[in-house]
């Protein structure tokens, strides 16, 4: 009886924890999310990095964990981008905003400048390595699309 109670309590706690840990807000108004993120990007003089996907996508969760668990990548992203995890929906306006990026699979990285102009769309399957991601490839994408890189400040000599 006691084991069953402990099992039930652990199951309930893990279910509640999993629900509280959702990366993508499935109920949010995506237009409002984008507007808020762009305002933040403008204030901070950063680009907007949209990770387009969903809580149902193991590779989306894996990419987020990969970025946040590597100090070098996290510092680069935090210094140059406002990050928005935008939940995929079959909404024509949303899909048009992403230039129909759902054609690539998930997650998709879409980089916008602070005015909301799309600069780059990156299919993350090209960044995979085994059951994770290739650090050098991920760093290269992020470094190539920072505000300084796009402005010409980081040109090759």
């Amino acid at each position: 009886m006691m084991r069953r109670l402990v099992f039930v309590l652990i199951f309930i706690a893990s279910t509640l924890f999993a629900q509280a840990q959702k990366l993508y807000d499935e109920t949010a108004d995506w237009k409002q999310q984008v507007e808020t993120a762009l305002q933040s990007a403008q204030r901070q003089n950063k680009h907007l990095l949209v990770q387009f996907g969903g809580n149902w996508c193991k590779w989306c969760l894996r990419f987020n964990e990969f970025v946040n668990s590597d100090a070098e990548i996290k510092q680069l992203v935090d210094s140059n981008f406002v990050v928005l995890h935008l939940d995929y929906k079959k909404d024509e306006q949303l899909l048009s905003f992403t230039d129909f990026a759902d054609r690539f699979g998930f997650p998709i990285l879409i980089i916008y400048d602070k005015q909301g102009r799309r600069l780059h769309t990156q299919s993350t399957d090209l960044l995979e390595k085994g059951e994770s991601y290739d650090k050098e490839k991920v760093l290269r994408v992020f470094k190539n699309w920072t505000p300084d890189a796009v402005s010409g400040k980081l040109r090759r000599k």
Side-chain angles (χ1 to χ4, degrees), residues 7-108:
F7 176 77
V8 169
L9 290 174
I10 290 171
F11 177 77
I12 290 171
S14 65
T15 301
L16 291 173
F17 180 76
Q19 289 175 349
Q21 296 298 310
K22 288 191 175 185
L23 184 60
Y24 295 84
D25 186 343
E26 299 164 357
T27 62
D29 177 336
W30 71 267
K31 291 177 188 175
Q32 183 61 50
Q33 285 183 298
V34 169
E35 182 180 322
T36 300
L38 281 172
Q39 289 171 355
S40 182
Q42 290 168 359
R43 278 192 311 277
Q44 298 177 53
N45 200 31
K46 295 180 179 182
H47 285 165
L48 172 59
L49 170 62
V50 171
Q51 183 179 318
F52 193 40
N55 294 313
W56 43 265
C57 169
K58 76 176 185 177
W59 282 96
C60 299
L61 304 177
R62 191 174 289 170
F63 187 82
N64 182 69
E65 177 64 27
F66 180 82
V67 168
N68 287 304
S69 65
D70 184 286
E72 183 180 10
I73 296 173
K74 183 166 177 32
Q75 191 279 328
L76 178 65
V77 169
D78 290 347
S79 297
N80 293 283
F81 302 96
V82 170
V83 178
L84 172 60
H85 293 91
L86 193 56
D87 188 54
Y88 168 76
K89 293 173 179 52
K90 290 183 181 179
D91 175 306
E92 286 302 310
Q93 286 184 325
L94 170 62
L95 297 176
S96 178
F97 170 74
T98 67
D99 290 321
F100 303 95
D102 59 326
R103 68 189 181 274
F104 295 112
F106 298 98
I108 305 147

Side-chain angles (χ1 to χ4, degrees), residues 45-47 75-77 79-81 111-112 119 139-154:
N45 200 31
K46 295 180 179 182
H47 285 165
Q75 191 279 328
L76 178 65
V77 169
S79 297
N80 293 283
F81 302 96
I111 299 172
Y112 298 88
L119 301 173
L139 279 170
R140 190 176 318 123
V141 168
F142 289 145
K143 285 178 181 177
N144 285 336
W145 293 100
T146 65
D148 281 351
V150 172
S151 74
K153 291 180 184 176
L154 301 179

